[in-house]
């Protein structure tokens, strides 16, 4: 009988992720008091690089500041749930 190999996390993703680099403010409230960096992005989520920990299923807010050096800055706050935590590396949201 042939053993089936475990499905990799990448194979289980609903949407593909792209590498991206965006400095953001984030936090457990809309005040977004922590700093981090979004390093991958998809329709369904992102990876937030931060040394801080948030429990799985914890709610976080991320403030996006787009085009900070242009005359028309766009800012928005999104929220999501933590899907996983990689100690010392960051959060899958």
């Amino acid at each position: 009988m042939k053993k089936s190999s475990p499905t990799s996390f990448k194979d289980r993703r609903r949407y593909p992720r792209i590498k991206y680099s965006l400095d953001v403010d984030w936090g457990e409230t809309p005040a977004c008091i922590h700093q981090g960096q979004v390093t991958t992005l998809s329709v369904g989520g992102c990876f937030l690089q931060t040394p801080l920990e948030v429990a799985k299923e914890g709610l976080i807010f991320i403030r996006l500041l787009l085009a900070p050096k242009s005359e028309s800055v766009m800012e928005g706050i999104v929220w999501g749930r933590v899907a996983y935590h990689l100690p010392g590396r960051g959060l899958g949201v």
Side-chain angles (χ1 to χ4, degrees):
M1 178 181 251
K2 189 176 182 181
K3 287 186 179 182
S4 62
S5 62
T7 305
S8 73
F9 193 73
K10 183 179 178 183
D11 294 336
R12 292 184 290 161
R13 292 195 191 283
R14 184 178 301 171
Y15 305 104
R17 288 202 174 184
I18 59 168
K19 290 187 182 217
Y20 195 74
S21 181
L22 179 65
D23 292 328
V24 297
D25 295 328
W26 71 275
E28 294 172 318
T29 69
C32 298
I33 61 172
H34 307 294
Q35 294 180 336
Q37 185 178 59
V38 170
T39 59
T40 63
L41 187 61
S42 78
V43 171
C46 67
F47 185 80
L48 176 63
Q49 189 175 18
T50 178
L52 302 175
E53 295 184 25
V54 176
K56 184 177 179 181
E57 297 297 321
L59 180 66
I60 67 165
F61 297 85
I62 300 173
R63 180 182 297 121
L64 303 170
L65 185 61
L66 304 175
K69 295 180 182 175
S70 77
E71 291 181 20
S72 58
V73 175
M74 292 185 353
E75 179 180 346
I77 296 178
V78 297
W79 64 270
R81 296 227 177 256
V82 175
Y84 62 91
H85 172 251
L86 298 177
R89 295 193 55 210
L91 311 169
V93 181

